[in-house]
Amino acid sequence: MEDTHSVSTLIDSTTSKIHQLQKAFAELEGHRAVTLNLKWKELEEHFHGLEKSLKRRFHELEGQEKEFETRTVEAQRMLEKRQAAVVAKEEAQLETLQEKRDAAIYAITNAREKQRKVSTEESSVVTDDGQGGSPTVEEKPPDVMVSDSNLEEVTSAENGSIEGMSYPQLVNFCEQMDSEGLHKFISDNRKNLAAIREEIPLAFRAAANPALFVLESLEDFYRMEGPTMDVKKDSNLLGIRRTCIMLMECLSILLTSPELASASDIITEEVKDMAEMIAEEWKPKLDALDMDASNGNSLEAHAFLQLLATFGIASGFDEEELFRLIPMVSRRRQTADLCRSLGLTERMPGVIEVLVNSGRQIDAVNLAFAFELTEQFSPVPLLKSYLKEARKASSPVKPGNASPTAQNEVSERELTALKAVIKSIEEHKLEEQYPVDPLQRRVVQLEKAKADKKRVTEAAKPQPKRPRANGVGYGPRVTNVVAEKTFYPRVADNRYPQYVYDRQFVYPGPADNHCPSVLGSATYNMPPAHGNYFATGYQYQPAYLH
């Protein structure tokens, strides 16, 4: 607009310039010695023609500029309308999906209720001996009666038969109170862990005592731990501990079922006493845990807190001790629900302060959103502080003085921090307050540098010598060798070791013992410093990370 105004001012000043030129021309004409052929009128007409031409062109450009601005505004409005239409359509589809899901759950609940009534009537088989005596109920052992009744409820999942469950074996393990078999089944079917987890609360109904069954399944949580064992790297023990936590969570789901008359029917006082004994046995083992070493992902602390929450025995333990354990499980997706179940909601500001002071701002932001404390703990400054500290930790290493390995570690730390911050911004919808474009550009830059270094390293490796085309020159020629029956010679069994997945939370091949489960999609997919924590997207039944 300033350029347009200056051009307009210059055009308007042409008239005064022409007058000045006229005076100069008259003065020149007065001093001329010879009559000039060029007349002033001709010059004046020429300059006025130029002035009109410039003004006309200037007005044309102004009109084109206004037309362009109008089109830009209209296009922006059209784009906003289309975006709003897409968002409305997505919300409508999600609402429809939720309605269908609620309708399905309602239908299944009604079917279970009807089947339970029918099974209750059938369980009372009345016999009359013809002597006018009072009717007697057909005798059955108490455990068998409970098991059969619960089994009828389980098998009425969809069509009133056990075929409605994808894994009917779960019912058999629960009916037989076979915790060892259930652990092994979960280990062998770890790829379908999400589907199994959905059916375990239903299968628990077949158990004579679901709460006691879960307590029995906790026996190997510490029993397999040896003095020389590296707990963090032993896949079998990690798998068992995750399974134990999952079973306690499934029992909590069963206790919240609307079909259950009262949780006290399952969690009896005797069961609570047993759970308290287990908790007292586990408690001394937690004293040696280091908050920094656990990095917010301690299975031991999580299992202890889940035991207290599931069996409702938190009141028997010191609240300060529970407060100390919360930062050790801050990366676990169940942390918020655990804190609410344990009655620690009012202590969350203190937990967040501890996380911030220990340099774990990502976890602090997640908990601040979970407990609506974002006004007290502003997310954007926390994320910027986390990224600043990560870069500051990387700054002392200078490329000229550090080894390639140290430089790679520094770049990897910054890359991990950037990805964690971007993930948190996207999950909590903070793009307007903290744009991610500069962060993403930095991520691309670091990943490109990482790939270039990898290519250079691989190119610098010595290449193995290739044999000549005629096969002569690199070894003695052997003749008269009797070939085996098979075309390819058999390789010794011990030449190549068995391949084992070198990845966190992945089982090795099937074994007699339990193995950890394969990770699902993250409830957070966070980088190593910060794992999956909250699933803020609109999704149903997210993959279970246990």
Side-chain angles (χ1 to χ4, degrees):
M1 293 302 293
E2 293 180 0
D3 294 340
T4 304
H5 181 71
S6 61
V7 171
S8 178
T9 304
L10 290 174
I11 292 175
D12 293 338
S13 65
T14 53
T15 303
S16 62
K17 297 295 183 182
I18 292 174
H19 287 301
Q20 293 177 6
L21 182 60
Q22 182 181 7
K23 292 179 181 179
F25 188 83
E27 184 179 354
L28 178 63
E29 197 173 33
H31 291 83
R32 69 180 179 176
V34 183
T35 303
L36 296 175
N37 295 328
L38 185 63
K39 300 297 181 181
W40 168 248
K41 290 294 182 182
E42 296 177 1
L43 288 175
E44 186 177 18
E45 290 176 358
H46 173 71
F47 283 113
H48 279 302
L50 291 177
E51 181 183 10
K52 292 179 181 179
S53 177
L54 288 174
K55 286 184 177 181
R56 183 175 63 254
R57 184 58 180 165
F58 177 73
H59 291 316
E60 289 177 358
L61 291 175
E62 278 188 330
Q64 291 178 1
E65 182 181 8
K66 291 180 180 179
E67 184 180 358
F68 177 75
E69 291 178 354
T70 303
R71 290 180 179 178
T72 303
V73 172
E74 291 179 355
Q76 185 67 25
R77 290 176 181 174
M78 184 65 68
L79 180 60
E80 292 177 355
K81 288 181 180 180
R82 290 182 179 178
Q83 289 178 346
V86 171
V87 172
K89 187 175 181 180
E90 290 180 352
E91 292 179 352
Q93 291 177 349
L94 290 175
E95 290 177 0
T96 303
L97 182 61
Q98 181 67 30
E99 291 175 357
K100 291 181 179 180
R101 179 174 178 270
D102 294 340
I105 294 175
Y106 180 75
I108 292 174
T109 303
N110 288 342
R112 289 177 182 171
E113 186 66 26
K114 292 179 181 178
Q115 186 64 29
R116 184 171 64 177
K117 291 180 181 179
V118 172
S119 62
T120 303
E121 294 175 358
E122 291 180 352
S123 62
S124 300
V125 180
V126 181
T127 59
D128 190 354
D129 56 7
Q131 299 178 0
S134 60
T136 59
V137 180
E138 184 180 13
E139 295 182 358
K140 281 187 179 182
D143 293 347
V144 176
M145 293 180 65
V146 173
S147 176
D148 290 346
S149 176
N150 290 336
L151 182 59
E152 289 295 329
E153 294 178 9
V154 173
T155 57
S156 63
E158 292 183 2
N159 301 323
S161 61
I162 201 170
E163 285 78 10
M165 293 183 63
S166 301
Y167 300 95
Q169 303 94 323
L170 297 173
V171 177
N172 297 331
F173 292 126
C174 294
E175 184 181 8
Q176 298 169 11
M177 300 284 283
D178 184 4
S179 60
E180 183 178 353
L182 179 61
H183 266 276
K184 188 176 186 306
F185 179 80
I186 294 173
S187 172
D188 295 340
N189 295 273
R190 56 195 176 274
K191 293 182 179 180
N192 303 318
L193 188 61
I196 292 176
R197 184 179 183 273
E198 292 179 2
E199 295 190 352
I200 288 178
L202 192 63
F204 275 164
R205 297 177 181 273
N209 192 332
L212 181 60
F213 181 45
V214 172
L215 288 179
E216 291 176 352
S217 70
L218 305 179
E219 291 181 355
D220 291 335
F221 192 90
Y222 281 106
R223 190 170 63 182
M224 292 187 59
E225 184 176 339
T228 60
M229 178 185 296
D230 189 350
V231 176
K232 295 182 179 180
K233 296 183 179 180
D234 189 87
S235 58
N236 292 338
L237 181 58
L238 291 176
I240 290 176
R241 289 182 173 179
R242 293 191 186 94
T243 301
C244 290
I245 294 173
M246 184 187 71
L247 293 178
M248 286 190 287
E249 289 180 334
C250 290
L251 181 61
S252 298
I253 295 174
L254 175 64
L255 296 176
T256 59
S257 174
E259 303 167 4
L260 192 66
S262 175
S264 60
D265 295 340
I266 295 179
I267 308 295
T268 61
E269 291 299 326
E270 182 180 359
V271 169
K272 282 189 175 183
D273 293 340
M274 296 178 63
E276 287 183 359
M277 292 176 60
I278 295 175
E280 290 291 349
E281 182 182 352
W282 287 3
K283 181 182 173 183
K285 301 179 183 295
L286 302 176
D287 296 336
L289 293 179
D290 183 8
M291 184 183 71
D292 296 331
S294 64
N295 199 23
N297 197 26
S298 171
L299 290 177
E300 295 86 352
H302 185 184
F304 179 78
L305 296 174
Q306 189 66 57
L307 178 66
L308 303 187
T310 300
F311 292 89
I313 56 176
S315 59
F317 294 85
D318 185 9
E319 187 176 296
E320 288 297 328
E321 295 180 356
L322 304 183
F323 174 83
R324 184 184 71 87
L325 295 176
I326 296 300
M328 298 183 186
V329 296
S330 58
R331 284 180 56 196
R332 309 292 291 177
R333 65 172 178 81
Q334 306 92 335
T335 302
D337 292 335
L338 277 176
C339 293
R340 294 187 184 98
S341 300
L342 297 171
L344 298 177
T345 302
E346 296 181 357
R347 302 292 302 271
M348 294 315 297
V351 174
I352 296 175
E353 285 283 358
V354 172
L355 295 174
V356 172
N357 295 334
S358 59
R360 290 157 58 185
Q361 289 89 339
I362 300 292
D363 295 345
V365 170
N366 291 332
L367 288 178
F369 273 98
F371 290 93
E372 299 181 354
L373 296 173
T374 53
E375 293 185 1
Q376 184 176 353
F377 300 95
S378 183
V380 173
L382 289 178
L383 294 177
K384 290 182 178 180
S385 172
Y386 172 73
L387 194 56
K388 181 179 179 181
E389 291 180 7
R391 289 172 175 170
K392 184 178 179 181
S394 305
S395 59
V397 180
K398 298 182 179 179
N401 300 331
S403 63
T405 303
Q407 294 180 19
N408 293 338
E409 291 178 354
V410 168
S411 300
E412 192 64 31
R413 281 198 299 270
E414 184 179 359
L415 185 61
T416 299
L418 285 168
K419 290 182 178 180
V421 171
I422 292 173
K423 183 67 175 177
S424 182
I425 292 172
E426 293 175 347
E427 285 182 350
H428 302 302
K429 312 297 183 184
L430 298 173
E431 289 87 346
E432 294 183 359
Q433 305 175 42
Y434 197 175
V436 298
D437 290 343
L439 304 180
Q440 290 175 342
R441 285 195 294 269
R442 179 58 178 165
V443 169
V444 172
Q445 181 182 358
L446 291 175
E447 289 181 340
K448 183 178 182 300
K450 181 179 177 181
D452 293 342
K453 289 180 181 179
K454 185 177 180 181
R455 279 197 299 269
V456 172
T457 303
E458 291 179 353
K461 290 181 180 179
Q463 301 295 328
K465 294 183 179 180
R466 297 181 179 179
R468 297 179 182 178
N470 57 4
V472 178
Y474 292 101
R477 187 172 182 177
V478 182
T479 58
N480 300 328
V481 177
V482 180
E484 294 183 1
K485 293 183 180 180
T486 56
F487 181 79
Y488 295 99
R490 187 173 65 181
V491 181
D493 295 337
N494 59 353
R495 183 175 178 181
Y496 299 102
Q498 183 179 4
Y499 178 75
V500 179
Y501 288 99
D502 187 14
R503 180 173 129 189
Q504 190 181 10
F505 303 153
V506 179
Y507 292 92
D512 294 336
N513 294 327
H514 295 65
C515 306
S517 62
V518 175
L519 271 176
S521 58
T523 76
Y524 291 127
N525 277 340
M526 300 291 287
H530 293 279
N532 298 328
Y533 186 79
F534 293 105
T536 57
Y538 198 107
Q539 56 181 334
Y540 304 101
Q541 301 296 338
Y544 175 65
L545 306 181
H546 79 297

